[in-house]
Amino acid sequence: MIELYLDTADVAQVRRFSKSLPLKGITTNPTILAKSKSGLKETLAEMQVALGGQPRFHAQVVSDTAEKMLEEARQLNELPYDMVVKVPATEQGLAAIKLMKAEGITVLATAIYSSQQGFLAALCGADYLAPYVNRIDNINGNGVAVIADLQMLLDKNELKAKILAASFKNAQQAMDVMKLGIGAITLPVDVTAQLFAHPAVAPAVEQFGHDWKEAFGDSLSFES
Ligand code: G3P
């Protein structure tokens, strides 16, 4: 089954959606944490409570050389959670991924804008690959096509890396990539809400309530 994440540091929204969705955990990035004004440790501690169980957390390094990224990854990996270390899939990042995998750290290659970039990260041993669907679309690319190519490359080479699709502006993008058989997806809160928001649903449910009340008043189904 696809792993479903929320791409947010908003604990209230995670608490809300954890009730109605089978969330595997959350993903963050430096921008998300900077906007939330909460540090990583505080955010993860609250998310752990909000999600319960053993959620998986994806947290990104902010260092800029392979050696520093590795040191940062070791520290992230020491946190008392199921951690995945996010590393930008740059030349330094790929070098860092090779070092991290030699130490058994679980790694997500992030900031992926092309299928070849994701493929190289997978060859370096990344466990997850995060192509940025909406950001690719915004620069006149085709995020869904990039993911289709990347999934094909993974399949043909029997690479175990999972695509964790990221960066969405609407539900259509999310559904299009999920149809490709990817292993994971992370959604922003607004797009998650859109998945529930078909305009025909509420009127249909209201009609059931109205018809029931007319026939049976306040009694419940099993009382009729
Ligand atoms: O972590 C990457 C992803 O969150 C980017 O999303 O909405 O900033 O393009 P966005």
Side-chain angles (χ1 to χ4, degrees):
M1 186 174 88
I2 191 167
E3 294 176 13
L4 181 58
Y5 296 89
L6 289 189
D7 198 21
T8 185
D10 186 332
V11 179
Q13 292 294 339
V14 170
R15 202 177 295 118
R16 167 191 171 193
F17 285 114
S18 70
K19 292 178 182 145
S20 51
L21 292 173
L23 297 179
K24 172 83 174 165
I26 64 153
T27 56
T28 63
N29 64 37
T31 304
I32 288 171
L33 288 170
K35 280 186 187 154
S36 84
K37 305 257 192 301
S38 299
L40 181 68
K41 286 182 192 164
E42 180 188 343
T43 300
L44 297 188
E46 290 178 0
M47 291 295 182
Q48 168 73 62
V49 175
L51 287 161
Q54 292 186 310
R56 176 161 273 201
F57 295 138
H58 296 247
Q60 190 164 329
V61 296
V62 294
S63 301
D64 57 1
T65 66
E67 290 71 24
K68 289 183 192 161
M69 287 178 196
L70 174 62
E71 185 47 43
E72 198 177 339
R74 287 177 179 144
Q75 300 295 326
L76 288 173
N77 205 38
E78 288 294 308
L79 294 174
Y81 308 108
D82 178 7
M83 294 297 298
V84 179
V85 177
K86 294 178 68 177
V87 182
T90 58
E91 188 174 347
Q92 285 294 318
L94 294 192
I97 289 169
K98 290 180 70 177
L99 297 170
M100 290 172 200
K101 289 315 299 173
E103 296 190 11
I105 295 170
T106 307
V107 179
L108 175 146
T110 193
I112 291 175
Y113 284 77
S114 68
S115 52
Q116 72 265 24
Q117 191 192 1
F119 184 48
L120 293 179
L123 290 175
C124 287
D127 302 278
Y128 291 92
L129 310 167
Y132 286 2
V133 179
N134 188 61
R135 293 195 196 189
I136 294 170
D137 289 352
N138 283 348
I139 51 177
N140 203 26
N142 184 332
V144 176
V146 165
I147 291 190
D149 278 354
L150 183 52
Q151 187 64 60
M152 181 195 68
L153 285 162
L154 297 177
D155 293 343
K156 281 194 183 300
N157 288 274
E158 297 180 4
L159 290 164
K160 281 192 277 182
K162 285 185 180 178
I163 294 179
L164 189 157
S167 179
F168 294 98
K169 196 73 180 165
N170 58 63
Q172 185 70 55
Q173 289 170 325
M175 293 310 296
D176 283 347
V177 299
M178 283 196 272
K179 285 182 210 163
L180 298 171
I182 56 173
I185 191 167
T186 186
L187 296 171
V189 165
D190 58 343
V191 174
T192 306
Q194 283 175 22
L195 294 176
F196 289 87
H198 195 290
V201 175
V205 175
E206 275 163 30
Q207 184 69 47
F208 288 138
H210 172 82
D211 293 346
W212 180 265
K213 267 193 187 331
E214 276 210 342
F216 302 109
D218 288 333
S219 58
L220 298 177
S221 55
F222 63 89
E223 295 169 330
S224 66

